[in-house]
Amino acid sequence: MFDRLEATEARYEKLNELLSDPDIVNDTTKLRDYSKEQSDIQDTVEAYREYKEVKEQLDDAKVMLDEKLDAEMREMVKEEINELEERVEALEERMRILLLPKDPNDDKNVIMEIRGAAGGDEAALFAGDLYRMYSRYAEMQGWKTEVMEANTTGVGGYKEIIFMISGKGAYSRLKFENGAHRVQRVPETESGGRIHTSTATVAVLPEAEEVEVEIHEKDIRVDTFASSGPGGQSVNTTMSAVRLTHLPTGTVVSCQDEKSQIKNKEKAMKVLRARVYDKIQREVQAEYDQNRKQAVGTGDRSERIRTYNFPQNRVTDHRIGLTIQKLDQILTGKLDEVIDALVMEDQALKMEQAE
């Protein structure tokens, strides 16, 4: 571990030199790549430097303990040694985690797709609850949310809603939400008070940049049609809605959320690029399927990952066996307790595999 830390620190110093080089400063691509590489290892280097400093303090304290000290001073040194040993242990654990292979998508924005599944209108209403939950969570993190496409129902829910969450580390926190979410509650339309079970599916895609996935214009079929959703007087009168079909993969994206055809096409392209990127990634990593099944956040999207039980105010994440009696709080966006547990479990599995 310490050999890797020494090498990482040396690379960090080399990057400092490179980023001061006028030739690099004038090369936009290299400047971006080196800056990102340095940013990616900065936390590791800072933790290692703090570790070395604390370790030195610990060694000095132990030497002092061997000297002739009065009882009061000896007790103070012993107490300091205990505190420093705890810090050393905590820093070693932190460095182990920081050295784990990092998901290259972790710092990216995400495109989330929520669809009502089994349960008709109740499933659509639950899809709306999930959308609001993630929107509030994003707001608490200081992230921005933008709706890309929404297909509403007459009862106030969503058959489908696609939206982007922009902010540093968004994917690292939300990638574990991939899968089928189940709700158990008494619908407002249920006169007999019986509990119904419905589901909604959530897909979390990292936003893909043009340099990461090349989509040629000749490979896209563009269809325009009249918008049928919100949009004021322009609804059904202008051909503002856009449907993009990526011919090589058969991926289809529609967008009619904006009044402008150009804006709808821009939004649709973002979703299309993310879906194609996701598809390519899954195909490339197919040989690692067994490992991905062991990881927390990369399960099949049809897999039931979580249950929201309203009568018991309970949320259960089935992947890690976590049950929390705080459904009311979680639906207001207070997801950190669940996400933190998933992150820790994912890190523990990766550490086991690394060992």
Side-chain angles (χ1 to χ4, degrees):
M1 180 175 83
F2 290 101
D3 288 343
R4 287 179 64 194
L5 288 164
E6 283 289 343
T8 303
E9 186 178 33
R11 178 59 181 168
Y12 186 83
E13 289 301 328
K14 180 64 177 176
L15 287 166
N16 268 338
E17 292 176 22
L18 289 168
L19 290 168
S20 301
D21 186 327
D23 291 337
I24 300 298
V25 172
N26 293 323
D27 187 324
T28 308
T29 303
K30 286 185 177 178
L31 182 65
R32 183 194 64 216
D33 291 346
Y34 288 150
S35 296
K36 185 180 185 309
E37 184 184 353
Q38 188 185 56
S39 175
D40 287 344
I41 63 175
Q42 184 171 343
D43 286 348
T44 306
V45 172
E46 288 177 354
Y48 182 46
R49 287 175 174 173
E50 184 183 352
Y51 169 83
K52 289 193 289 187
E53 187 180 318
V54 173
K55 192 76 167 60
E56 188 177 339
Q57 292 173 14
L58 177 60
D59 292 340
D60 291 344
K62 286 180 177 178
V63 169
M64 191 183 296
L65 198 62
D66 292 334
E67 298 173 358
K68 292 182 179 179
L69 303 171
D70 59 43
E72 185 178 351
M73 180 60 76
R74 180 171 291 276
E75 197 58 40
M76 286 176 62
V77 173
K78 282 183 178 179
E79 190 174 324
E80 183 184 4
I81 288 173
N82 288 337
E83 290 175 359
L84 290 169
E85 284 177 339
E86 287 179 6
R87 284 182 64 191
V88 164
E89 190 177 328
L91 284 165
E92 285 178 350
E93 180 68 16
R94 174 163 167 72
M95 290 186 298
R96 284 192 194 95
I97 291 171
L98 287 168
L99 284 173
L100 290 173
K102 189 178 179 185
D103 187 332
N105 294 319
D106 273 353
D107 287 335
K108 291 184 178 178
N109 302 330
V110 300
I111 291 176
M112 298 190 77
E113 304 180 358
I114 303 177
R115 295 177 178 84
D121 286 344
E122 177 62 13
L125 287 169
F126 180 49
D129 292 336
L130 291 176
Y131 164 64
R132 285 182 286 275
M133 177 181 77
Y134 293 126
S135 297
R136 289 163 183 161
Y137 179 70
E139 187 179 349
M140 290 174 185
Q141 305 303 310
W143 299 334
K144 180 186 172 185
T145 302
E146 178 187 10
V147 174
M148 314 294 280
E149 177 69 353
N151 186 350
T152 58
T153 65
V155 294
Y158 293 98
K159 291 179 183 176
E160 174 188 62
I161 181 163
I162 303 171
F163 56 101
M164 176 180 282
I165 294 181
S166 306
K168 185 173 173 59
Y171 186 75
S172 70
R173 299 293 287 172
L174 293 169
K175 62 184 176 182
F176 303 107
E177 299 305 297
N178 245 345
H181 296 239
R182 181 176 70 169
V183 63
Q184 295 173 326
R185 64 183 173 190
V186 179
E188 292 180 12
T189 54
E190 171 57 55
S191 57
R194 290 174 299 179
I195 296 173
H196 286 227
T197 298
S198 305
T199 58
T201 61
V202 176
V204 184
L205 312 178
E207 183 188 16
E209 297 178 15
E210 289 184 43
V211 294
E212 294 171 309
V213 54
E214 194 173 9
I215 297 180
H216 301 286
E217 285 290 334
K218 64 182 178 63
D219 291 333
I220 301 174
R221 187 178 73 233
V222 181
D223 298 308
T224 57
F225 55 98
S227 174
S228 60
Q233 294 179 348
S234 62
V235 173
N236 292 323
T237 60
T238 61
M239 305 294 279
S240 60
V242 174
R243 182 186 300 110
L244 303 182
T245 303
H246 185 242
L247 301 174
T249 61
T251 306
V252 180
V253 176
S254 298
C255 187
Q256 59 179 357
D257 199 58
E258 300 284 348
K259 294 179 184 178
S260 160
Q261 186 183 113
I262 294 173
K263 288 184 179 178
N264 279 329
K265 187 178 178 183
E266 286 175 359
K267 283 188 172 184
M269 273 301 298
K270 284 185 179 181
V271 178
L272 181 68
R273 192 175 289 116
R275 286 187 185 171
V276 172
Y277 179 65
D278 182 60
K279 181 180 176 64
I280 292 169
Q281 275 196 315
R282 286 175 178 271
E283 288 174 355
V284 168
Q285 295 180 6
E287 60 188 287
Y288 301 112
D289 269 348
Q290 190 55 44
N291 287 338
R292 289 195 292 139
K293 285 174 186 172
Q294 291 171 6
V296 172
T298 51
D300 191 310
R301 284 179 194 149
S302 64
E303 175 193 358
R304 187 189 71 202
I305 64 165
R306 195 175 297 150
T307 295
Y308 303 73
N309 185 293
F310 275 69
Q312 298 176 20
N313 195 36
R314 167 173 57 80
V315 172
T316 299
D317 195 288
H318 304 290
R319 295 164 294 180
I320 57 175
L322 175 71
T323 296
I324 302 175
Q325 306 288 149
K326 299 177 182 176
L327 171 59
D328 53 341
Q329 295 180 37
I330 285 170
L331 287 177
T332 64
K334 295 178 180 176
L335 274 166
D336 275 331
E337 188 172 350
V338 178
I339 291 175
D340 286 344
L342 290 163
V343 169
M344 287 177 66
E345 178 69 14
D346 189 53
Q347 288 172 347
L349 287 169
K350 285 178 180 175
M351 287 179 74
E352 280 180 22
Q353 290 171 6
E355 289 168 3

